[in-house]
Amino acid sequence: MQGWKAAVLGACTVAAAVGEASRAPFGTLPDGRPVEEVTLSNGTLTARIIAWGAALRALHVPDRDGHAADVVLGYADLASYLDKPNYFGASVGRYANRIRDGRFSLDGKTYTLATNDGPNSLHGGKEGFDKKLWTIAHLEGGATPSVTLSYVSPDGEEGYPGTLTARVTYTLSAPDTLRIEYTATTDKPTVVNLTNHSYFNLAGEGSSRSVLDQRVLIPAEQYTPVDATQIPTGERAPVAGTPFDFRAPEVIDARIRDGRDVQIVRAHGYDQNFVLADAPTDALHLAGRVEDPASGRVLEVATTAPGVQFYTGNMLDATAVGKSGLVYRQSDGLALEPELFPDTPNQPAFGSARLDPGGTFRNVITYRFSTLAPTDRTVR
């Protein structure tokens, strides 16, 4: 695991003149607005980002034999993103994850949000940032191709105070690394929590294999248990002795069916926030590592966020048809979402999600890919 830190800090050398960035039509919204797709390529990785939801639609990554496959879930057409969003690859906000009862208070005033997950608000509400058309603000080729997209959320949208200007930049920052940086500013006090909601399957999204035989490492000593509505109780519980201990690589399938643990039962699998730090950090730290012994692909996720939500696609129900023409079923993808803790605006012990005028929200995420040794093809 030692290689991840050097890579994300820029120690890798990027060959010049191999990077490409281009844009093309992807579809048209019912109101007539065109949606574009940007393709970034550096000779090793190819990423495709659509302006609808500023979403990572595809990410082609080589396996141990050099064969590339698309390792994120998504759709072939815009209509599917509108019909069954599922947050595939989306930039989610204004507040990623859940807020209890769709309410929070700021400076003595209570704000009521749109609820879309039982009694709670999830990923920004009924029409969060994943369901907005972002503007392609800047496109750059060269050795580190990138695209920056922006979205201005008006004061009161989905119940949130303040006009929020959000930006996300996708960069192929090294031959093996996709870097995502979220920033946001506001004109009045508000709360904000932006992240990316890509579902990964290192076997390939069209492989017909689930992620259950893939290995996960999450370097967290604690996680935040939730109640029956998936809202944190406020406790930071130790992972030791529980199905949530991923401090050493563990096959997902080993404990995902542990019916003795109420957290597994409530979430229908893994859907928990893991504690990486007490607060956002300036430097990147490891959030998780995923290994697919069959293909040899390895993903290392680093971030500046204090938490990471590990989700095993529990609600995928075979009604969404993916890019390869296959239906996506439960556990066909996993998400590692670096972010502030769920319900932080209502839980002071979790820190602060507040953003004031003059300040800048920032969340940096890197996805670094490598491969296992040819001899490591077994699930352990």
Side-chain angles (χ1 to χ4, degrees), residues 93-99 123-124 160 192-193 340-341 343-345 353:
R94 184 177 296 197
Y95 195 92
N97 219 308
R98 294 174 174 88
I99 294 181
H123 293 328
Y160 288 92
V192 62
N193 185 23
L340 302 179
F341 299 170
D343 200 38
T344 289

Side-chain angles (χ1 to χ4, degrees), residues 215-235:
R215 299 188 293 242
V216 169
L217 178 147
I218 301 174
E221 300 285 336
Q222 298 175 318
Y223 75 105
T224 53
V226 296
D227 64 17
T229 70
Q230 292 293 94
I231 292 293
T233 62
E235 179 187 7

Side-chain angles (χ1 to χ4, degrees), residues 59-61 69-73 199-205 297 369:
L59 182 58
H60 292 264
V61 178
D70 188 354
V71 299
V72 296
L73 274 55
Y199 291 75
F200 290 93
N201 186 332
L202 297 186
E205 65 85 29
R297 292 187 184 92
F369 295 91

Side-chain angles (χ1 to χ4, degrees), residues 19-24 36-50 54-62 68-72 89 139-140 145-147 149 169-180 196 198 200 323 367 369:
E20 296 181 1
S22 62
R23 57 200 293 178
E36 288 189 293
E37 178 175 72
V38 168
T39 300
L40 306 177
S41 179
N42 65 3
T44 302
L45 306 180
T46 299
R48 293 187 171 89
I49 300 100
I50 58 173
L56 178 63
R57 190 181 75 86
L59 182 58
H60 292 264
V61 178
D70 188 354
V71 299
V72 296
L139 185 65
E140 185 170 336
S146 68
V147 60
L149 303 98
T169 299
Y170 290 86
T171 306
L172 295 181
S173 61
D176 55 7
T177 302
L178 173 63
R179 182 182 189 272
I180 305 175
N196 184 272
S198 288
F200 290 93
K323 291 167 282 189
Y367 303 128
F369 295 91

Side-chain angles (χ1 to χ4, degrees), residues 24 48 51 71 93 96 105 120 122-123 150 156 183 218 328 333 363:
R48 293 187 171 89
V71 299
S105 295
N120 305 316
L122 173 66
H123 293 328
S150 64
T183 60
I218 301 174
Y328 291 144
N363 184 12

